[in-house]
Amino acid sequence: MEAITRRYTVGDQAIAALDGVSFEVPQGQFAAIIGPSGSGKSTLLNMLGCLDRPDSGRYLLDDVDVSTFDDERASDFRNRRIGFVFQSFHLLPRLTVLENALLPRRFLRGVDDGLAERARDLLVRMGLERHLQHRPGQLSGGQMQRVAIARALLMRPALLLADEPTGNLDSRSAADVMSLIAEVHGDGQTVVLVTHDAEVAARAQRQITLRDGRIELDSAA
Ligand code: ADP
Ligand code: MG
């Protein structure tokens, strides 16, 4: 990510939500983005997830310059190469745990049946083997987030992004979820997470602090 700038105009005021942000996350790294409210964390995560495009600057993912993609290419790339975990889980209540974990398959053109087995394996790994046919409403918050992590990993994404993944969890479930994310990272998964929780950030290898749309501190620099 090179010199990324993203401006918003509110009334006649222009705000730079991101103001020349540059950094590189090497493959396999686990990085945390921290900073006060309004510092640009969500804007940056949206950029990393190809949900938003910069006004200027370049963003390379898998050696591809995704900052030039139109919406259709961006969403195709996103579905295949990026896994998202959100604070509020974003599971579909009418689907089973297994169906939720298989959701990314719906975006694929060809059917790939190896994915059903992979979803099952991931859910077992997340400690959910007894819940495959349950609905999200029957699960605890920590279990729901583990389903969301399995879903995010289904396509073997180049990048796992998490926005306050422990924000809605009690401290014990939060610790479980962080242990699983650390374990997934241990297997070589690149992870970037946004948090305002110092304990969560400390689990990452690297902490990038944003303030007013700029990198104030980067523990790797
Ligand atoms: P954080 O996630 O760190 O709280 P954000 O990335 O949400 O910060 O926001 C950074 C800045 O950009 C803030 O000043 C915010 O008000 C502004 N901003 C974010 N999204 C929008 C938007 N859709 N429209 C206008 N301003 C926005
Ligand atoms: Mg935010």
Side-chain angles (χ1 to χ4, degrees):
M1 172 159 282
E2 287 168 21
I4 293 287
T5 296
R6 177 71 167 96
R7 295 181 201 86
Y8 290 110
T9 311
V10 181
D12 54 4
Q13 281 250 39
I15 305 166
L18 295 175
D19 186 9
V21 169
S22 300
F23 63 94
E24 185 178 338
V25 178
Q27 198 183 340
Q29 190 173 67
F30 178 10
I33 297 170
I34 54 183
S37 177
S39 58
K41 303 183 297 298
S42 296
T43 306
L44 182 56
L45 204 77
N46 290 344
M47 210 62 84
L48 288 168
C50 300
L51 289 163
D52 193 11
R53 258 189 302 272
D55 294 308
S56 59
R58 283 207 313 162
Y59 173 29
L60 302 184
L61 181 59
D62 274 357
D63 295 321
V64 181
D65 185 354
V66 296
S67 39
T68 62
F69 281 6
D70 62 21
D71 289 352
E72 194 183 337
R73 284 188 75 191
S75 77
D76 185 62
F77 193 82
R78 184 167 63 239
N79 290 333
R80 289 167 191 280
R81 303 304 295 143
I82 297 169
F84 283 97
V85 175
F86 301 94
Q87 178 169 358
S88 50
F89 322 129
H90 290 199
L91 301 179
L92 296 187
R94 292 177 186 282
L95 299 184
T96 65
V97 161
L98 185 59
E99 288 164 346
N100 266 284
L102 270 168
L103 269 176
R105 187 171 67 175
R106 295 196 179 184
F107 299 115
L108 288 179
R109 266 156 250 155
V111 186
D112 179 354
D113 259 333
L115 288 177
E117 200 174 326
R118 176 162 168 79
R120 198 178 294 272
D121 290 347
L122 284 165
L123 289 166
V124 167
R125 190 148 162 229
M126 298 291 146
L128 295 165
E129 59 270 50
R130 292 189 296 109
H131 302 283
L132 300 180
Q133 301 308 326
H134 290 169
R135 314 275 156 185
Q138 298 170 272
L139 304 180
S140 70
Q143 290 170 328
M144 286 195 265
Q145 196 59 299
R146 286 185 268 143
V147 177
I149 293 170
R151 178 183 58 188
L153 294 173
L154 184 72
M155 304 301 293
R156 304 180 191 279
L159 184 57
L160 177 66
L161 295 176
D163 196 355
E164 297 281 4
T166 60
N168 278 341
L169 302 179
D170 61 72
S171 57
R172 171 127 190 236
S173 307
D176 286 349
V177 161
M178 285 314 298
S179 296
L180 283 167
I181 290 177
E183 201 179 301
V184 162
H185 163 245
D187 293 341
Q189 177 68 53
T190 311
V191 182
V192 176
L193 75 75
V194 164
T195 183
H196 61 250
D197 182 331
E199 234 173 278
V200 169
R203 300 289 299 264
Q205 294 171 298
R206 174 185 185 183
Q207 292 76 32
I208 298 172
T209 310
L210 290 182
R211 181 176 293 273
D212 297 333
R214 295 171 189 234
I215 294 180
E216 181 181 57
L217 201 67
D218 181 347
S219 68

